[in-house]
Amino acid sequence: MICPPTVPTCRRPGPNPGSVHRDQFDFRCLERRIGGQRRARMSRARTVLWLSPTLRSVLSLYRARFMEGQPQGPPNPAAMENGTELNREERPPGFQETTITEGAAKIVFPSANEVFYNPVQEFNRDLTCAVITEFARIQLAAKGIQIKVPGEKDVQKVVVDLSEPKEDKAEPKEGANLALEDQPRTAAVGEICEEGLRVLEGLAASGLRSIRFAREVPGLRSVVANDASARAVALMRRNVQLNEVAHLVQPSQADARMLMYQHQKASERFDVIDLDPYGSPASFLDAAVQAVSEGGLLCVTCTDMAVLAGNSGETCYSKYGAMALKSRACHEMALRTVLHSLDLRANCYQRFVVPLLSISADFYVRVFVRVFTGQAKVKASASKQALVFQCVGCGAFHLQRLGKASAASGGRLKFSAACGPPVAPECEHCGQRHQLGGPMWAEPLHDVEFVGRVLEAVSANPGRFHTAERIRGVLSVITEELPDVPLYYTLDQLSSTIHCNTPSLLQLRSALLHAGFRVSLSHACKNAVKTDAPSSALWDIMRCWEKEYPVKRERLSESSPAFRILRVEPRLQANFTIRDDANPSSRQRGLKRFQANPEANWGPRPRARPGGKAAGETVEERRRLLQNKRKEPVEDPAERAAWLKTFPCKRFKEGTCQQGDQCCYSHSAPSPKATAEATPTDCPEAPSQNPAEPGAATGPGIE
């Protein structure tokens, strides 16, 4: 048995020779001053330090304080493990903090952009708490444990009280004791459930999400709030102490990938892993599918929508293993691309994913999947993926499965390669070429039964979440979606292709229903038309609509998609009479299905940076100043000169500007506020230089 070594120290010359400076601890200095035998002992000490999480956290704290040059006292390892150690970090003068309350949590974070926080994603956090609650309810019910959610009525007790006969009230005490023993065990919010869920938030930042889990989700055994930033972890410890959840939430400072790789063993895996990074989660997916338990829940957020929506197909392939296409259905295609990437990485370890809920909201996509192990099921993964052939002219798309699963004798499945392609070299409708995208997930995006459970729980307890109204609306639309129909068309896309008036959504849905096809909306787009009708039938309906509202054919080019589509007579006679079932239930009830802009300048926040500038009036003024900066300035020379004078000259600040009063930028000494508002700009070499170029050159800081 190896005893835990004490933290080694380094003796360096100081005021007193041979004095020990623990804040100047350095392994390299030790290795230079010790011999071979002591070097071997040091190697063993390093191994023990690495194997011991407590001592490893002590070592990280010493190194962080040495780098920041801050004084320190001896840390308390036990307090560090449960997050109860007080933060002794000295704050600079003028340091400001902001306190917010979200759900049942109250957190403090610096006003400067040092720790990431975005209030717009409250819907994301509320939905995650609702999903994990229902997942815990299912998992613990199999163990005979009933969860208690604040605000929910105990339906079981009500039923027992109503059905209890009067004569049972006079039973002896032994019967009463027996009834008490038959009652199921319960798990309440804020209490440790020994058989509950182990949760990991890999990129916790301020720790808000983990604290909300501890204060709002019952049936948890532990919550590990991890972040690689020392400032974020210090902030987490303060917030954990503030919310009195140190018994559940364990702050951790580590690389999220290494932390998950260290929990690959079946007994050490997490039941729930939540990944909400800034940008793409691609680098964390391989570790996540290995660290989640059998049947565990994996929650992943992707905010790199520009990549997933087709603006950079090669970048999407490098991150997710699929080519994204620019399409009106790009948001659903983004969801299916992420699911394909998750399943592909899980297949490497004989595991596969089962989607529970997939959401496209605001500026991100969010997927909730369960991960299982099974070699036989992994073989079916190829038949769950598909390539997309999309016409560049009319936007018609066709799917080609990568594999084929067919029934064989004995109830078995036979897997083989699929045959294709499903399209000709040119589009049958407009004669244009096809683009190839994917592979992507071609199976259902949601588990309708699970979504119904979450929707029922949120509807029965509307006061639990601030965004409960929006959650109800989005989940209601999801339950109405066609589960077996990938992708969708949009109403404006169909009408703009043939340059005709746009029919109402109810008219187009009614025409599809009259023709015998199924049709639904999509939560990803309010104008979506998700239908199992082939593209030929869809264009026949649009041709019939064009006959009622004719297009001026003489204005159409003979090579345009509109001309080639309209020159063909429709084989299907469309009926645009409004049907009652054409109006979905969520629309009739007036639910909040599609989010309006929640606040001004909403969207992705800038990445958290050490020593970030404070958010407030200064940032707002800077945004106003840089608005439309890359656009052409006004043509009036006087207004243009005044506009350029609002930007300070960078060369004047450096003392190298030779233009003097002839410089088109400001040479006045900027105040500290003005320096924060505007970015210095290079001075042009001559007064006659095009002023649009210097304006475009002020790239740093543009939002």
Side-chain angles (χ1 to χ4, degrees):
M1 177 178 178
I2 301 177
C3 297
T6 58
V7 178
T9 59
C10 174
R11 298 181 178 271
R12 295 184 179 177
N16 297 323
S19 60
V20 178
H21 297 270
R22 291 183 179 269
D23 58 340
Q24 298 179 355
F25 163 71
D26 190 353
F27 271 122
R28 294 174 297 180
C29 182
L30 282 175
E31 292 177 353
R32 288 195 301 266
R33 295 176 179 269
I34 60 180
Q37 183 178 3
R38 296 188 62 189
R39 187 178 294 110
R41 294 178 183 173
M42 194 63 205
S43 177
R44 291 194 297 270
R46 283 194 203 173
T47 304
V48 176
L49 282 174
W50 173 252
L51 294 177
S52 173
T54 302
L55 293 177
R56 187 164 67 250
S57 59
V58 174
L59 182 58
S60 301
L61 181 62
Y62 273 120
R63 287 177 173 170
R65 289 180 174 175
F66 169 69
M67 294 300 295
E68 297 177 2
Q70 298 176 356
Q72 86 223 13
N76 184 357
M80 292 181 61
E81 283 300 312
N82 57 23
T84 59
E85 183 186 17
L86 297 178
N87 181 23
R88 300 193 180 100
E89 181 181 1
E90 294 183 0
R91 297 176 180 82
F95 183 82
Q96 297 180 354
E97 291 181 341
T98 303
T99 302
I100 68 160
T101 301
E102 182 180 297
K106 180 180 180 180
I107 68 165
V108 177
F109 65 95
S111 299
N113 188 31
E114 294 185 351
V115 178
F116 186 81
Y117 169 73
N118 191 349
V120 177
Q121 287 213 12
E122 182 180 2
F123 169 76
N124 186 335
R125 292 182 281 268
D126 287 350
L127 181 63
T128 303
C129 290
V131 170
I132 296 180
T133 300
E134 292 308 307
F135 179 73
R137 195 192 306 272
I138 295 173
Q139 295 293 94
L140 297 183
K143 303 176 181 179
I145 302 176
Q146 180 181 353
I147 65 173
K148 300 293 183 181
V149 180
E152 282 189 0
K153 295 181 180 179
D154 195 341
V155 180
Q156 183 177 359
K157 283 188 176 181
V158 173
V159 172
V160 171
D161 293 340
L162 292 177
S163 61
E164 185 179 6
K166 295 181 180 179
E167 55 270 19
D168 290 344
K169 295 183 179 180
E171 289 183 355
K173 294 184 178 180
E174 291 115 8
N177 295 336
L178 182 61
L180 291 175
E181 293 177 359
D182 293 340
Q183 291 182 357
R185 294 175 294 170
T186 60
V189 171
E191 298 179 357
I192 298 178
C193 180
E194 295 299 335
E195 301 182 39
L197 306 181
R198 297 180 66 240
V199 182
L200 168 65
E201 185 185 4
L203 306 127
S206 62
L208 171 61
R209 192 181 299 252
S210 296
I211 294 172
R212 289 196 58 183
F213 290 164
R215 295 184 63 89
E216 299 180 28
V217 179
L220 302 183
R221 180 165 54 172
S222 65
V223 180
V224 178
N226 177 77
D227 202 282
S229 169
R231 289 182 174 86
V233 175
L235 183 63
M236 271 190 281
R237 298 187 191 281
R238 294 185 58 203
N239 289 326
V240 166
Q241 181 75 11
L242 178 65
N243 289 270
E244 300 179 351
V245 290
H247 60 290
L248 273 175
V249 181
Q250 303 172 5
S252 167
Q253 182 182 353
D255 186 287
R257 293 163 294 187
M258 295 304 300
L259 181 62
M260 289 186 286
Y261 280 132
Q262 293 169 7
H263 289 78
Q264 296 181 28
K265 191 176 179 180
S267 60
E268 299 179 357
R269 291 174 177 171
F270 297 98
D271 300 299
V272 179
I273 295 180
D274 190 300
L275 296 176
D276 190 357
Y278 186 93
S280 173
S283 59
F284 304 98
L285 299 184
D286 183 78
V289 296
Q290 300 181 67
V292 67
S293 63
E294 180 66 14
L297 181 64
L298 183 57
C299 318
V300 180
T301 301
C302 306
T303 59
D304 55 335
M305 289 302 297
V307 173
L308 289 169
N311 286 351
S312 181
E314 65 281 357
T315 304
C316 184
Y317 180 81
S318 66
K319 292 183 177 181
Y320 301 99
M323 287 292 294
L325 298 178
K326 288 187 177 181
S327 168
R328 297 300 177 91
C330 60
H331 293 94
E332 182 176 327
M333 191 177 294
L335 285 171
R336 296 184 179 276
T337 299
V338 175
L339 290 175
H340 159 74
S341 181
L342 281 169
D343 192 59
L344 182 63
R345 295 167 196 260
N347 291 163
C348 298
Y349 309 101
Q350 299 300 311
R351 312 193 81 182
F352 61 96
V353 302
V354 177
L356 293 182
L357 177 63
S358 306
I359 293 286
S360 173
D362 299 332
F363 52 86
Y364 59 89
V365 292
R366 176 80 161 167
V367 296
F368 301 87
V369 300
R370 296 186 69 179
V371 182
F372 296 91
T373 305
Q375 184 177 4
K377 294 293 184 67
V378 169
K379 292 182 179 179
S381 293
S383 59
K384 299 177 183 178
Q385 321 298 326
L387 298 173
V388 184
F389 292 85
Q390 178 178 277
C391 174
V392 299
C394 64
F397 57 83
H398 302 268
L399 268 64
Q400 170 65 63
R401 298 271 181 160
L402 290 183
K404 181 181 179 181
S406 56
S409 59
R412 297 180 297 105
L413 287 178
K414 181 181 179 181
F415 303 102
S416 59
C419 300
V423 295
E426 295 180 350
C427 178
E428 59 178 324
H429 308 297
C430 64
Q432 300 291 329
R433 68 186 186 278
H434 289 93
Q435 285 184 328
L436 182 62
M440 69 174 191
W441 181 264
E443 293 295 301
L445 294 174
H446 324 281
D447 184 337
V448 180
E449 181 181 356
F450 180 82
V451 175
R453 292 175 62 103
V454 178
L455 177 59
E456 181 182 359
V458 174
S459 301
N461 191 8
R464 185 184 178 195
F465 301 115
H466 182 257
T467 61
E469 183 181 358
R470 185 184 178 190
I471 293 176
R472 286 183 57 202
V474 172
L475 296 184
S476 298
V477 176
I478 287 176
T479 57
E480 297 169 352
E481 289 183 6
L482 295 177
D484 56 342
V485 178
L487 305 184
Y488 54 81
Y489 297 92
T490 59
L491 199 61
D492 54 316
Q493 169 197 3
L494 297 173
S495 57
S496 64
T497 300
I498 59 176
H499 305 288
C500 71
N501 292 338
T502 304
S504 69
L505 188 61
L506 294 183
Q507 287 175 321
L508 183 59
R509 288 171 57 92
S510 299
L512 288 167
L513 292 173
H514 281 301
F517 301 107
R518 296 179 299 154
V519 62
S520 74
L521 297 176
S522 173
H523 78 280
C525 179
K526 62 180 180 180
N527 293 326
V529 179
K530 184 184 282 287
T531 177
D532 59 349
S535 57
S536 57
L538 204 55
W539 286 124
D540 279 345
I541 293 176
M542 293 305 298
R543 292 186 185 102
C544 295
W545 176 261
E546 189 272 338
K547 289 184 179 296
E548 297 186 12
Y549 301 92
V551 175
K552 295 182 179 180
R553 306 292 181 91
E554 62 273 9
R555 294 186 177 182
L556 300 178
S557 171
E558 294 185 0
S559 61
S560 64
F563 183 85
R564 294 183 178 183
I565 291 174
L566 294 177
R567 71 181 178 183
V568 179
E569 289 296 322
R571 291 174 292 181
L572 183 151
Q573 295 302 319
N575 182 4
F576 294 98
T577 305
I578 302 297
R579 292 179 44 151
D580 294 337
D581 55 350
N583 195 10
S585 173
S586 60
R587 191 170 183 266
Q588 294 179 8
R589 290 181 290 167
L591 298 179
K592 190 175 183 179
R593 302 172 299 161
F594 303 101
Q595 171 71 7
N597 292 349
E599 60 183 18
N601 302 314
W602 73 284
R605 291 291 190 264
R607 184 187 296 271
R609 300 182 184 279
K613 295 181 180 179
E617 297 182 359
T618 302
V619 176
E620 296 299 330
E621 287 295 326
R622 186 165 176 269
R623 286 174 177 170
R624 181 191 59 79
L625 181 64
L626 299 178
Q627 188 71 27
N628 300 324
K629 192 173 184 180
R630 293 185 179 273
K631 294 184 178 180
E632 283 290 329
V634 292
E635 296 182 358
D636 185 9
E639 294 184 8
R640 180 186 301 176
W643 178 73
L644 292 176
K645 280 293 184 181
T646 60
F647 300 99
C649 179
K650 180 189 294 185
R651 294 190 177 182
F652 174 77
K653 184 178 179 181
E654 297 173 351
T656 59
C657 182
Q658 304 295 330
Q659 301 297 324
D661 295 338
Q662 300 296 324
C663 181
C664 59
Y665 296 105
S666 173
H667 280 194
S668 60
S671 62
K673 181 177 180 180
T675 304
E677 292 177 354
T679 304
T681 311
D682 286 333
C683 176
E685 295 296 334
S688 61
Q689 186 176 356
N690 185 2
E693 295 179 1
T698 58
I702 293 180
E703 299 192 11

